[in-house]
Amino acid sequence: MTRPTIIAANADILRQAVTDNIRACEKIIARSVRPTDAFPLDALAVLFVVHEDHIRGWDGRIDSMVWDRVAQLTDHCFLCPYNEQVLQSEYFALTHQELTEFRRGVPILKIAAAIDTRTILARGGRTKHDAEIKLRNALSFEVFRQDIAVGALLAGQDDLDGKRVKPDRGSGLQHLCEHSWVDGVPFKGHAKQEALAPFDRKLTLMGSLRDEGEAVAATFVAGAVEPKQVVELIVKQVAASTTTMRTPKQYEDALAVATSSVKTLMRACAHITELSEGKVELSKAAHKADERIAKREEKERMRAEEVASGKRKRDRWRSLDPIPDPMTKAMHQTFTRFDFSPEELLIVASLAGIDPNLLCSNHVLATPEFRLAQMLRKMSLGEEYTAGDLEMGVLHNLFFSSVSGDLYRNLRTPLTSLALECFPRDWWVSQLTGT
């Protein structure tokens, strides 16, 4: 078991950690042509929040696999002892389950994150972030792809009943609406018409997403230059996967897999839109608070000069009310809501190519797996990629290690499948062993 250096944190130490995180984020954001978020590992602030009445022996209550994972990402972490009253006044978003565990003395792992409100306003208001665009493109392509796949699977189901139905364009959209729909995905045009019935509006949006996906389809398949080639490839893949299907249960399972990826991307798209809009509102609130502080400081300066010159007989007799924190509890809940599983975040990384920690940092310890999924996506598209220590470590475990003692062993199967879609096992073994 490997442990990082443990630093007993206080307000100044945590403030410095957040400052370092902001500076690392600013360097990444400065290289972006769009407003963007960042999750820099080189300034990762890992906190263990522990009840001060249970501080003795706290590190022994953390699983060795967790320590190993933390040590992979950073060489230090912070111990934050609190009582419950003080904790509730801090920006540590504990769920009900986490609060129950905190009271029992269980160390709660948290990741400190910062929102640079100045950067958001400086970029010109509500411009879509890079992650939003990538998620939207990934969602639209997945709707396009799964419309074809679901249409073929539904036709295969009908074949079992003796019906002969030829799948057509859009034949899978209704099934996707019924099983993959998530509210909150932004849409415009005909789908916004209030005269449409709710389900018709959903169907219209799915059709719009399919059209968007068709437009970008060639960018999601290596070697493709037009959507027609992508359609042919998808049809071949579905045909190959259904050759051994003989029962309704097999088709139902395949349909569940097809709809789950669309649903995950719809949830991610809706969530990151909400996050981005919330950050703009926070930026505006912070800007107003800064203006109030500046005006107050100017008035106090003028008051002091008047008192010194005798123009004013006495100074203020009571202190001013503090200016409210721009970050409201409602905003904080939006920014810290953790409702994605590690499997869902892996889907986001592999299909959209973004760091899923930008959506949800609750599974930050699975960052090596997320990084590998992003790398494999680049490999599949023939793009340039960098295989770092984190990615190589996961690959080595996939091909040479057993599943025992793996904190995120459920991610092994999908990652192995992604790797084998790029190259056969012998190629990977040869690359990893240098033979």
Side-chain angles (χ1 to χ4, degrees), residues 56 119 206 266 277 342:
R56 184 180 180 87
T119 302
M206 279 294 185
M266 288 199 81
E277 292 174 348

Side-chain angles (χ1 to χ4, degrees), residues 1-14:
M1 179 181 69
T2 305
R3 287 192 186 185
T5 302
I6 300 171
I7 301 174
N10 55 36
D12 291 336
I13 290 176
L14 290 181

Side-chain angles (χ1 to χ4, degrees), residues 86-297:
V86 175
L87 177 68
Q88 298 289 20
S89 67
E90 296 289 344
Y91 279 152
F92 297 126
L94 299 189
T95 64
H96 177 73
Q97 178 63 31
E98 288 174 336
L99 187 57
T100 301
E101 293 177 347
F102 170 79
R103 290 166 177 163
R104 294 192 294 108
V106 176
I108 308 298
L109 187 149
K110 287 292 175 182
I111 305 298
I115 300 173
D116 190 348
T117 56
R118 298 167 303 167
T119 302
I120 294 173
L121 286 181
R123 294 290 189 130
R126 181 68 176 99
T127 304
K128 286 187 178 180
H129 289 230
D130 184 55
E132 283 184 88
I133 294 176
K134 288 182 178 179
L135 271 173
R136 177 73 177 208
N137 288 340
L139 170 61
S140 60
F141 175 72
E142 195 65 10
V143 170
F144 168 74
R145 184 171 77 94
Q146 297 302 353
D147 170 50
I148 300 171
V150 168
L153 290 170
L154 292 174
Q157 272 189 326
D158 290 335
D159 284 344
L160 294 179
D161 298 330
K163 304 174 184 178
R164 293 293 180 266
V165 179
K166 184 179 180 180
D168 197 4
R169 178 189 180 94
S171 57
L173 293 182
Q174 180 170 337
H175 188 85
L176 290 175
C177 283
E178 293 172 347
H179 296 86
S180 301
W181 182 265
V182 174
D183 289 327
V185 176
F187 56 93
K188 56 184 178 180
H190 185 57
K192 293 190 72 172
Q193 294 184 11
E194 295 182 0
L196 289 174
F199 188 80
D200 291 338
R201 192 174 298 172
K202 294 178 182 179
L203 198 58
T204 301
L205 175 58
M206 279 294 185
S208 177
L209 286 170
R210 190 199 189 282
D211 293 340
E212 292 177 28
E214 185 173 11
V216 299
T219 65
F220 280 80
V221 177
V225 294
E226 58 180 355
K228 181 180 178 180
Q229 295 173 297
V230 181
V231 173
E232 293 173 351
L233 176 62
I234 296 171
V235 170
K236 288 180 181 178
Q237 291 174 338
V238 176
S241 66
T242 58
T243 53
T244 59
M245 291 186 183
R246 298 291 184 270
T247 66
K249 178 66 166 56
Q250 290 175 312
Y251 279 96
E252 289 171 5
D253 291 343
L255 284 167
V257 172
T259 56
S260 66
S261 59
V262 174
K263 186 170 186 176
T264 296
L265 288 175
M266 288 199 81
R267 291 183 64 228
C269 192
H271 186 59
I272 202 165
T273 300
E274 184 182 11
L275 287 179
S276 298
E277 292 174 348
K279 288 175 182 177
V280 171
E281 291 303 312
L282 175 61
S283 297
K284 293 177 179 178
H287 182 65
K288 290 180 180 178
D290 289 342
E291 289 181 337
R292 290 184 63 188
I293 291 172
K295 289 179 180 179
R296 180 174 289 185
E297 289 176 347

Side-chain angles (χ1 to χ4, degrees), residues 23-64:
R23 289 172 179 168
C25 288
E26 287 175 339
K27 291 179 181 178
I28 297 174
I29 292 172
R31 298 195 296 266
S32 173
V33 296
R34 281 188 164 271
T36 189
D37 286 320
F39 195 83
L41 284 182
D42 56 347
L44 192 66
V46 178
L47 317 178
F48 283 103
V49 182
V50 185
H51 198 296
E52 61 182 15
D53 292 341
H54 301 276
I55 200 70
R56 184 180 180 87
W58 70 274
D59 53 340
R61 297 192 289 274
I62 298 176
D63 193 289
S64 60

Side-chain angles (χ1 to χ4, degrees), residues 296-313:
R296 180 174 289 185
E297 289 176 347
E298 177 63 17
K299 287 183 177 180
E300 291 302 302
R301 183 189 65 78
M302 294 176 62
R303 179 186 294 275
E305 290 179 354
E306 291 174 354
V307 171
S309 64
K311 187 176 181 179
R312 185 183 295 270
K313 292 183 179 181

